């Protein structure tokens, strides 16, 4: 079984994907990792992030094993890593190079320990539209910009970071605006996606709704 979970930042894609992966014995592919890995390769080799050709070359050299190794680096999940990922992910040559690596994972999905999985759950903005248009179940998880900004703001506070809610909200809205206008990775639901608005739902409610849709689809 292949499931895709698309949607804007802080809508709850990762949490839902991990819970569904556990329930159905699926390998979880967080596709943001491929861009974080390429961004980090650029930084480590002191290449300019504005060099789209170099980024494309790095993307062509990336293997799954290298990505897993890089994911243990302290900068992989940091804001430096996130920013680098965001820049390299905007190059269409980079996206094209990383397409097969993401798609091929579904041919023989395995867990981190190498044992076989029942399928894959892909998490990422273009997984239902570009990476896996033939997925069995596609979700598009969304929430109002205010709710997503509040979730991000709470995460920052938990990490002890000093931020203003209005600044976080402004960032979320600016990112939505940029995302909506990207041609190669559009922030829009696939035509056959199930749209889940999580604004007024907690994670368990979102999970229960998603499970109900999957069970219906599996009948
Ligand atoms: O989700 P995460 O924050 O790890 O994503 C890192 C960067 O990669 C983000 O800027 C995001 O927009 C980009 N990305 C993308 N396509 C995906 C997944 C992530 O362009 N399928």
């Amino acid at each position: 079984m292949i499931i895709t979970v698309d949607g804007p930042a802080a809508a709850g894609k990762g949490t839902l994907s991990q819970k569904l992966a556990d329930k159905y014995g699926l390998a979880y592919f967080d596709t943001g990792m491929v861009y974080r890995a390429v961004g980090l390769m650029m930084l480590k080799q002191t290449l300019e992030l504005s060099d789209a050709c170099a980024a494309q070359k790095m993307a062509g050299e990336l293997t799954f094993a290298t990505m897993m190794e890089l994911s243990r680096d302290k900068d992989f999940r940091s804001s430096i890593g996130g920013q680098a990922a965001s820049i390299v992910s905007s190059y269409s040559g980079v996206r094209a190079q990383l397409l097969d690596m993401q798609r091929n994972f579904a041919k023989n999905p395995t867990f981190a320990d190498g044992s076989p999985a029942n399928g894959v759950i892909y998490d990422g903005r273009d997984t239902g539209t570009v990476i896996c248009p033939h997925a069995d179940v596609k979700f598009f998880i969304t929430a109002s910009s205010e709710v997503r900004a509040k979730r991000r703001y709470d995460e920052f506070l938990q990490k002890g970071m000093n931020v203003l809610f209005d600044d976080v909200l402004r960032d979320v809205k600016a990112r939505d605006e940029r995302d909506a206008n990207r041609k190669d990775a559009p922030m829009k639901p696939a035509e056959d996606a199930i749209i889940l608005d999580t604004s007024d739902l907690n994670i368990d409610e979102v999970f229960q709704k998603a499970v109900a849709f999957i069970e219906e689809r599996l009948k």
Side-chain angles (χ1 to χ4, degrees):
M1 173 162 65
I2 300 179
I3 301 177
T4 56
V5 181
D6 298 13
K13 300 193 293 289
T15 315
L16 175 65
S17 300
Q18 264 161 348
K19 281 176 83 76
L20 290 175
D22 286 348
K23 178 167 174 68
Y24 292 104
L26 305 172
Y28 171 44
F29 197 148
D30 165 9
T31 61
M33 286 178 75
V34 297
Y35 302 102
R36 284 180 184 268
V38 173
L40 201 53
M41 284 163 96
M42 298 284 287
L43 293 177
K44 281 186 178 295
Q45 302 201 21
T46 56
L47 294 164
E48 291 290 336
L49 291 168
S50 56
D51 187 344
C53 288
Q56 185 174 339
K57 188 166 172 286
M58 290 293 113
E61 288 171 9
L62 183 69
T63 61
F64 200 85
T66 315
M67 180 180 83
M68 295 315 290
E69 202 181 305
L70 287 167
S71 73
R72 288 188 279 275
D73 189 286
K74 64 170 177 36
D75 279 331
F76 193 78
R77 293 273 165 207
S78 73
S79 61
I80 296 170
Q83 216 176 348
S86 164
I87 295 170
V88 299
S89 74
S90 69
Y91 302 139
S92 49
V94 167
R95 302 196 79 86
Q97 287 286 357
L98 296 169
L99 205 54
D100 283 349
M101 184 181 155
Q102 294 174 82
R103 284 184 177 157
N104 287 344
F105 186 73
K107 289 185 184 160
N108 185 20
T110 53
F111 294 111
D113 66 1
S115 60
N118 295 334
V120 190
I121 184 152
Y122 284 100
D123 161 358
R125 51 180 297 141
D126 61 344
T127 58
T129 47
V130 179
I131 308 296
C132 253
H134 306 299
D136 301 296
V137 185
K138 299 178 187 176
F139 290 107
F140 187 86
I141 309 297
T142 187
S144 69
S145 43
E146 282 73 16
V147 167
R148 287 183 291 120
K150 176 75 171 65
R151 289 176 188 163
R152 266 286 140 86
Y153 175 69
D154 289 344
E155 276 170 30
F156 287 138
L157 289 192
Q158 267 175 16
K159 287 180 188 160
M161 292 160 76
N162 188 14
V163 285
L164 294 173
F165 175 75
D166 284 351
D167 289 342
V168 180
L169 179 60
R170 195 171 331 108
D171 282 354
V172 165
K173 286 184 170 168
R175 190 165 158 174
D176 284 354
E177 182 72 32
R178 275 199 309 274
D179 283 347
N181 296 317
R182 282 173 57 175
K183 290 192 188 69
D184 51 356
M187 182 57 73
K188 63 168 195 210
E191 273 175 21
D192 50 350
I194 296 147
I195 298 175
L196 278 177
D197 188 326
T198 69
S199 302
D200 301 317
L201 301 174
N202 66 34
I203 182 58
D204 281 324
E205 291 167 327
V206 177
F207 177 63
Q208 293 310 333
K209 271 183 184 281
V211 167
F213 280 119
I214 294 170
E215 297 298 324
E216 189 59 37
R217 197 57 69 86
L218 289 179
K219 268 186 197 161

